[in-house]
């Protein structure tokens, strides 16, 4: 089987070494093959449940569930019905969720905050978006006349590599795939515009290029790097490149896709800074340039490692406890990549040159140069890894090509290379299969993440809420809330806050204490519930936190009643009754994940 595969690969290798584009039937065959491989790699995700932000993206999002509100999706934050206001303007992602929602099986369940809906259609759609990205990578490389060896193996590895699992398996991660699909489609349209001779079709491709860019921007903010990709592609992707007879006007026309894309980008930036800016006032993340320089090197070393050896993947990657020497390692990789880029340019190996710059351009927004909400994340590499593996496969092809022309190497070298790539692909396939299982449900993904990063506050809190509200596993919730309180205490000690001070660092800690008290109440541990809810009840004296204090008082009253302390119950109940109707509605909003604007730190009054 390996010999036949190697023979067929060699025939395509020979066919494409002069840059011959595959026929339509050949393209169809390989696209179908890539589609099948992609779906096979993610077949075990179809039974996965809703996890993490899927609740705010779909289950709680009333506009996603109402087709009449489709235009409203273009005027609001993606998580408009979630806890807290973000600044994620991705209306096309919400529209795709709306379509999936309409196609999904639904049934009503009494006393449920969320609609009972199967996530199957959503998972199928995610796999389809990833398959589209994989196929477009293959078509793009073929359009650029890359050897079949490079275009085929780049697409295969991209299809089965574990890094995209955060985007594919996680329903709410769809934005990465949609952005990549539209960017790839836009680049292909630009190339078609440059190479098309029919005037009508040429105009259609010219319109399609910025249109796909606009769709990418409506899917994810990072799509704004598209004009840089166009600058990279235009000089090398057209037949005009070596045409000395081309007029100056004709040379100028080839830059029209860039001009239109820049206009689209400018309009988008203005709108996002004004009408479509949904961010609330928050404490900015401040980092010095020295911190940024170190973190850029450290994160780049991390990305290179997981591109080759994708082990220990999880959602809460941090640079905590990362040795400083890894920054030197990261910059060493950057220097090596830069030298390869310069060598490719000097030797007119333009595809290798383009692939390296594709990787660096799409990596730059997530490099750490710009302050983001995290120093690194696996799914951010969804688009950059296209350029990385394209470069690796082009380099392999370049160096084995002279050897395969010799009979002594031709017989053994190519089969050995293909066998090695098959082993690598199967290894990545297996790791993807295992990683998909981590996303089975909320408990699984949160426990998997905590295995690698036990100090992440938000994941441990989400696991506690999963035990408390979804699984009704109150002992499990109690355990996780206790661990959370230990983490907060440790952070306070490091910050110099005395243990004797009754204080809360932020809204999340308030919710932890409140939820912990409610869990103890549900377990019948009424005295302990009162003990943990009492500090939260003091919040009735703080204007921004009164609803939390009132809710704590309500559970203290119920606990007192359960303990037979009628006097305390009556006293607290009468106090609660004095709260106006609007305040009581706020209490209800908290219990279902409503939004409240609070400062980053608020001490509790005694």
């Amino acid at each position: 089987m390996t010999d036949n595969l190697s023979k067929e690969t060699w025939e395509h290798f020979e066919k494409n070494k002069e840059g011959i584009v595959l026929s339509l039937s050949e393209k169809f065959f390989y696209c179908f093959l890539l589609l099948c491989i992609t779906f096979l790699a993610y077949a075990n995700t179809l039974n996965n449940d809703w996890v993490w932000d899927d609740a705010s993206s779909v289950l709680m999002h009333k506009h996603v569930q109402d087709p009449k509100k489709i235009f409203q999706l273009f005027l609001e934050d993606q998580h408009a019905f979630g806890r807290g206001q973000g600044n994620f303007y991705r209306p096309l992602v919400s529209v795709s969720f709306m379509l999936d929602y309409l196609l999904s099986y639904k049934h009503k369940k009494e006393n449920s905050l969320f609609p009972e809906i199967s996530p199957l259609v959503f998972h199928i759609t995610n796999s389809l978006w990833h398959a589209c990205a994989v196929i477009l990578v293959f078509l793009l490389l073929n359009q650029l006349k890359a050897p079949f060896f490079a275009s085929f193996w780049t697409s295969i590895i991209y299809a089965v590599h574990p890094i995209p699992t955060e985007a594919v398996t996680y329903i709410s991660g769809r934005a990465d795939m949609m952005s990549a699909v539209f960017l790839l489609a836009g680049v292909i349209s630009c190339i078609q515009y440059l190479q098309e001779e029919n005037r009508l079709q040429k105009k259609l491709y010219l319109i399609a290029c910025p249109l796909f860019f606009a769709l990418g921007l409506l899917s994810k903010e990072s799509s704004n790097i598209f004009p840089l990709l166009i600058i990279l592609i235009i000089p090398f992707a057209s037949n005009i490149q070596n045409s000395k007879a081309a007029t100056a006007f004709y040379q100028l026309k080839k830059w029209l896709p860039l001009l239109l894309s820049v206009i689209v980008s400018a309009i988008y930036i203005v709108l996002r800074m004004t009408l479509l800016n949904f961010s609330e006032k928050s404490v900015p993340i401040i980092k010095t340039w020295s911190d940024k320089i170190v973190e850029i090197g450290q994160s780049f070393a991390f990305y290179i490692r997981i591109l080759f050896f994708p082990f220990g993947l999880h959602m809460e990657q941090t640079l905590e406890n990362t040795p400083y020497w890894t920054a030197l390692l990261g910059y060493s990789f950057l220097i090596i990549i830069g030298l390869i880029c310069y060598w490719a340019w000097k030797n007119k190996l333009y595809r290798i040159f383009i692939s390296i710059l594709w990787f660096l351009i799409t990596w730059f927004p997530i490099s750490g140069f710009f302050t983001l909400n995290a120093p690194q994340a696996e799914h951010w590499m969804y688009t950059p890894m296209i350029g990385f593996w394209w470069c690796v496969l082009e380099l392999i092809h370049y160096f084995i090509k002279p050897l395969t022309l010799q009979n002594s190497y031709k017989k053994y070298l190519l089969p050995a290379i293909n066998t090695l790539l098959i082993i690598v692909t199967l290894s990545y396939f297996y790791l993807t299969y295992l990683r998909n299982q981590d996303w089975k449900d909320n408990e699984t993904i949160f426990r998997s993440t905590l295995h690698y990063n036990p100090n992440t506050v938000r994941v441990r809190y989400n696991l506690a809420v999963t035990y408390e509200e979804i699984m009704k596993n109150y002992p499990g919730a109690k355990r996780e809330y206790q661990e959370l309180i230990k983490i907060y205490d440790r952070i306070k000690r490091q910050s110099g806050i005395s243990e004797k001070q009754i204080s809360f660092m932020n809204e999340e800690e308030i919710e932890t204490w409140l939820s912990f008290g409610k869990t103890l109440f549900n377990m019948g541990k009424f005295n302990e519930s009162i003990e943990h809810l009492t500090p939260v009840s003091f919040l009735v004296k703080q204007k921004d936190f009164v609803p939390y204090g009132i809710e704590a008082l309500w559970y203290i009253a119920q606990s007192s009643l359960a303990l037979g302390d009628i006097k305390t119950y009556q006293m607290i109940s009468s106090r609660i009754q004095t709260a106006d109707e609007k305040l009581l509605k706020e209490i209800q909003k908290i219990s279902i994940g409503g939004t409240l604007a609070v400062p980053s730190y608020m001490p509790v009054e005694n």
Side-chain angles (χ1 to χ4, degrees):
M1 179 178 177
T2 304
D3 290 338
N4 292 334
L5 178 61
S6 301
K7 183 178 179 181
E8 292 174 6
T9 305
W10 172 256
E11 291 174 355
H12 284 288
F13 179 99
E14 288 292 305
K15 182 175 180 180
N16 272 39
K17 69 179 182 180
E18 299 300 332
I20 300 174
V21 178
L22 296 175
S23 67
L24 184 61
S25 60
E26 289 175 317
K27 286 181 181 179
F28 179 81
F29 170 77
Y30 287 111
C31 287
F32 180 74
L33 178 63
L34 290 170
L35 176 69
C36 294
I37 291 173
T38 303
F39 265 85
L40 186 61
Y42 289 93
N44 65 326
T45 69
L46 300 182
N47 292 323
N48 287 4
D49 204 350
W50 304 99
V51 296
W52 217 324
D53 283 342
D54 292 346
S56 59
S57 296
V58 180
L59 300 180
M60 294 171 57
H61 205 305
K62 296 179 181 179
H63 294 163
V64 163
Q65 300 166 18
D66 184 1
K68 296 178 182 178
K69 299 291 185 180
I70 186 169
F71 295 110
Q72 181 63 31
L73 298 176
F74 290 84
L75 302 173
E76 62 190 14
D77 170 56
Q78 183 185 352
H79 301 285
F81 290 86
R83 180 189 172 279
Q85 182 76 7
N87 196 19
F88 298 97
Y89 183 66
R90 300 166 184 179
L92 276 191
V93 178
S94 296
V95 170
S96 72
F97 289 151
M98 177 182 285
L99 295 174
D100 287 350
Y101 183 85
L102 293 174
L103 294 172
S104 297
Y105 172 74
K106 298 174 283 291
H107 63 89
K108 293 184 179 181
K109 185 177 180 180
E110 294 183 2
N111 301 322
S112 178
L113 296 175
F114 306 137
E116 293 295 315
I117 177 174
S118 169
L120 175 62
V121 174
F122 292 80
H123 284 301
I124 292 174
T125 303
N126 270 28
S127 296
L128 274 172
W129 278 109
H130 184 47
C132 286
V134 170
I135 290 170
L136 287 174
V137 168
F138 178 75
L139 295 177
L140 172 63
L141 300 193
N142 187 248
Q143 196 76 31
L144 293 173
K145 301 182 180 179
F148 177 81
F149 174 86
S151 59
F152 179 74
W153 283 113
T154 298
S155 305
I156 289 290
I157 291 176
Y158 187 57
V160 304
H161 200 284
I163 283 179
T165 54
E166 279 192 7
V168 187
T169 309
Y170 180 29
I171 291 172
S172 294
R174 185 178 298 181
D176 291 287
M177 295 179 293
M178 292 181 65
S179 170
V181 166
F182 291 128
L183 290 186
L184 289 164
V187 172
I188 292 174
S189 298
C190 178
I191 297 172
Q192 290 288 91
Y193 163 77
L194 295 170
Q195 298 179 346
E196 182 60 55
E197 296 181 358
N198 182 283
R199 287 190 176 183
L200 178 59
Q201 292 184 9
K202 195 176 186 70
K203 289 180 180 179
L204 291 176
Y205 286 125
L206 179 60
I207 295 172
C209 179
L211 178 60
F212 281 125
F213 173 38
L215 295 176
L217 289 172
L218 295 176
S219 301
K220 192 172 183 181
E221 298 80 359
S222 59
S223 300
N224 221 359
I225 49 91
F226 181 75
L228 295 178
L229 297 179
I230 293 297
I231 292 174
L232 179 64
I233 291 292
I234 288 176
F236 308 108
S238 67
N239 296 325
I240 303 172
Q241 176 189 345
N242 299 317
S243 176
K244 297 180 180 179
T247 64
F249 177 71
Y250 199 63
Q251 288 281 358
L252 187 62
K253 281 178 64 177
K254 73 179 182 180
W255 293 99
L256 281 177
L258 175 62
L259 176 62
L260 295 177
S261 298
V262 169
I263 293 173
V264 170
S265 177
I267 294 173
Y268 173 81
I269 291 172
V270 171
L271 289 175
R272 288 291 277 122
M273 293 177 67
T274 53
L275 298 176
L276 301 176
N277 184 3
F278 309 107
S279 61
E280 293 181 340
K281 292 182 179 179
S282 58
V283 178
I285 301 174
I286 300 175
K287 291 184 180 179
T288 64
W289 276 108
S290 59
D291 291 336
K292 286 187 176 183
I293 289 171
V294 173
E295 289 187 359
I296 288 172
Q298 290 176 324
S299 63
F300 193 76
F302 164 77
Y303 288 133
I304 295 297
R305 195 270 295 174
I306 64 171
L307 282 166
F308 282 117
F309 307 104
F311 300 103
L313 303 183
H314 62 90
M315 279 285 283
E316 291 289 292
Q317 301 286 353
T318 69
L319 296 174
E320 186 179 1
N321 300 322
T322 302
Y324 283 105
W325 60 263
T326 57
L328 296 176
L329 188 61
Y331 283 110
S332 298
F333 287 141
L334 265 175
I335 291 171
I336 292 171
I337 290 173
L339 291 174
I340 295 174
C341 189
Y342 175 75
W343 166 79
W345 171 263
K346 291 289 289 184
N347 289 276
K348 298 182 179 181
L349 303 172
Y350 295 125
R351 282 196 310 272
I352 296 177
F353 176 77
I354 293 172
S355 65
I356 294 174
L357 287 185
W358 179 293
F359 172 58
L360 294 177
I361 288 171
T362 53
W363 161 78
F364 182 69
I366 53 116
S367 63
F369 183 86
F370 306 101
T371 302
L372 302 172
N373 60 352
Q376 56 199 14
E378 298 156 23
H379 65 95
W380 289 348
M381 292 300 291
Y382 189 86
T383 303
M385 72 178 292
I386 296 171
F388 181 85
W389 280 107
W390 175 14
C391 174
V392 170
L393 272 302
E394 285 274 9
L395 286 171
I396 292 174
H397 170 266
Y398 176 80
F399 286 110
I400 68 172
K401 180 179 177 180
L403 296 175
T404 54
L405 298 178
Q406 303 176 30
N407 291 330
S408 57
Y409 289 100
K410 181 176 180 179
K411 185 176 180 181
Y412 303 104
L413 183 60
L414 197 62
I417 294 294
N418 280 321
T419 301
L420 177 62
L421 288 172
I422 290 172
I423 293 173
V424 169
T425 300
L426 291 176
S427 300
Y428 288 161
F429 185 97
Y430 179 66
L431 291 174
T432 295
Y433 173 83
L434 295 178
R435 181 64 176 144
N436 290 340
Q437 292 181 321
D438 289 342
W439 292 90
K440 181 180 179 182
D441 52 39
N442 273 316
E443 181 186 17
T444 307
I445 186 59
F446 295 147
R447 287 177 63 89
S448 171
T449 305
L450 289 171
H451 173 75
Y452 293 103
N453 187 357
N455 295 320
T456 169
V457 171
R458 67 168 184 163
V459 174
R460 194 168 291 279
Y461 177 77
N462 284 336
L463 177 59
V465 172
T466 297
Y467 283 141
E468 178 192 3
E469 297 184 1
I470 300 177
M471 302 177 66
K472 306 301 179 183
N473 178 1
Y474 297 119
K478 176 185 176 183
R479 180 184 64 247
E480 298 305 324
Y481 285 130
Q482 286 175 324
E483 289 298 320
L484 264 175
I485 291 173
K486 290 179 183 178
I487 294 173
Y488 280 120
D489 288 342
R490 184 165 62 249
I491 295 173
K492 289 177 185 178
R493 288 195 299 270
Q494 294 171 352
S495 303
I497 300 176
S498 171
E499 294 183 12
K500 295 182 180 180
Q501 285 181 270
I502 299 178
S503 60
F504 294 111
M505 296 178 60
N506 48 41
E507 183 185 9
E508 285 72 25
E509 188 184 7
I510 295 172
E511 291 182 340
T512 297
W513 279 74
L514 180 61
S515 298
F516 188 22
K518 290 160 63 175
T519 297
L520 292 169
F521 173 83
N522 288 320
M523 294 178 68
K525 299 181 180 294
F526 303 115
N527 284 317
E528 293 182 46
S529 177
I530 292 173
E531 179 184 351
H532 283 87
L533 289 172
T534 298
V536 183
S537 69
F538 295 153
L539 291 171
V540 293
K541 299 180 181 180
Q542 296 290 344
K543 180 179 179 181
D544 293 320
F545 295 96
V546 171
Y548 290 102
I550 295 293
E551 189 172 11
L553 284 173
W554 188 88
Y555 276 96
I556 290 174
Q558 298 303 313
S559 297
S560 299
L561 180 62
L563 292 170
D565 189 349
I566 306 298
K567 184 177 180 180
T568 301
Y569 167 76
Q570 291 176 339
M571 180 185 68
I572 296 176
S573 295
S574 62
R575 187 177 181 183
I576 293 175
Q577 291 301 321
T578 60
D580 59 31
E581 185 178 351
K582 185 181 294 185
L583 182 58
L584 293 175
K585 288 182 179 180
E586 288 298 318
I587 298 171
Q588 185 180 11
K589 284 175 65 178
I590 292 174
S591 66
I592 62 172
T595 63
L596 284 175
V598 294
S600 61
Y601 176 80
M602 177 63 72
V604 177
E605 292 184 359
N606 292 324

